[in-house]
Amino acid sequence: MAYLQMEMHSKALVMTTTVSVILPDEIKPNEKLKTLYLLHGYRGNHMDWMRYTSIERYVRDERVAIIMPEVNNGYYTDTANGLNYFTYVADELPKRCETIFPLSKKREDRYIAGLSMGGYGAFKIAGLRPKRFAKAISLSGSLDIKHVYEMTKETDRKGYFHSVFGKTEHRMDQQDLYAIYLKLLKEDQKPELFMACGTEDFLFEDNERFYQYLVELGYSVYYETSAGAHEWVFWDHYIEKALRWILNPNGDLTE
């Protein structure tokens, strides 16, 4: 595999930002690769998946590009203070990457995944851009953003949370996955969804509730739980399984 770090100026963010990219070593003439946009968590950055998992080894024999953007702690949201991280990852980044690299522009060849804050981002972006992304993966996702706020409002993260989501209930409702996926029912195209969360994870109950909500709405969701906390050993295991779910849809996901 080839690993690249790309510095690009983002119009949405009005600044230069870094993107990590994994590509197959040899790309055939006129070949168009499938693409997985892989999102980091809170306090993370574009290097996390490379540093803490075997993601490069997992895709060594696959015809897929892995795009890993940097969003700081921006929750993949067009923030109240003007940093448009949602627009950057959902709209600008795919269009830019598809002009630079030999990536397929077909919906069925585009996927998005993330852990924790990135799991929220992946489900949010796929839910609001269902015509762009065919599959979305959340690992230990922060899927109930209102509950995350309740958990953090008495901590030093309160001010930062307000800078991202604002202070009004209406603005928070616009970022809520429950509302997004209820509204998505009206769309003809809906992403297939993959969820995993450890039973010792502090977000386990949030994941359980959101999974039940999706099932009640009639979404196609593959969901697994196993022993594990909010930690890289869990995410490394499940990103490998999620990749099999994406790239080999008829394959066996059992151990």
Side-chain angles (χ1 to χ4, degrees), residues 80-226:
N81 64 9
L83 287 169
N84 296 322
Y85 286 115
F86 174 83
T87 298
Y88 166 58
V89 177
D91 300 327
E92 183 180 19
L93 184 63
K95 291 177 182 177
R96 185 75 64 85
C97 287
E98 287 168 6
T99 65
I100 298 172
F101 303 111
L103 308 180
S104 172
K105 296 182 180 181
K106 297 178 181 178
R107 176 184 183 268
E108 60 265 30
D109 291 336
R110 290 197 199 99
Y111 323 110
I112 190 164
L115 67 90
S116 194
M117 179 186 81
Y120 165 77
F123 271 23
K124 177 181 177 179
I125 290 168
L128 292 173
R129 297 292 185 270
K131 295 180 180 179
R132 178 164 289 150
F133 296 97
K135 295 184 178 182
I137 297 96
S138 168
L139 307 182
S140 311
S142 301
L143 302 180
D144 187 343
I145 204 65
K146 292 182 179 180
H147 186 227
V148 173
Y149 172 66
E150 289 298 317
M151 289 190 291
T152 60
K153 68 179 182 180
E154 302 303 327
T155 72
D156 58 1
R157 289 172 60 180
K158 178 181 178 180
Y160 192 87
F161 202 90
H162 279 156
S163 75
V164 173
F165 292 100
K167 298 182 180 181
T168 67
E169 184 174 340
H170 173 68
R171 183 170 171 82
M172 183 66 71
D173 287 343
Q174 292 178 316
Q175 314 303 326
D176 179 44
L177 291 182
Y178 284 83
I180 289 170
Y181 276 81
L182 181 61
K183 186 177 181 180
L184 181 60
L185 289 174
K186 300 176 183 179
E187 298 289 335
D188 293 334
Q189 293 179 309
K190 302 173 183 62
E192 295 179 54
L193 304 171
F194 180 109
M195 293 175 58
C197 192
T199 52
E200 287 72 50
D201 196 304
F202 73 97
L203 293 174
F204 179 69
E205 295 299 330
D206 286 3
N207 277 258
E208 289 277 289
R209 283 193 298 271
F210 193 64
Y211 168 68
Q212 291 299 329
Y213 179 74
L214 291 173
V215 170
E216 291 170 5
L217 292 180
Y219 283 96
S220 172
V221 189
Y222 180 90
Y223 181 45
E224 275 198 24
T225 65
S226 65

Side-chain angles (χ1 to χ4, degrees), residues 238-253:
Y238 275 99
I239 193 60
E240 189 273 336
K241 182 167 283 194
L243 284 162
R244 283 191 277 140
W245 175 78
I246 289 171
L247 301 172
N248 302 291
N250 296 320
D252 184 4
L253 290 182

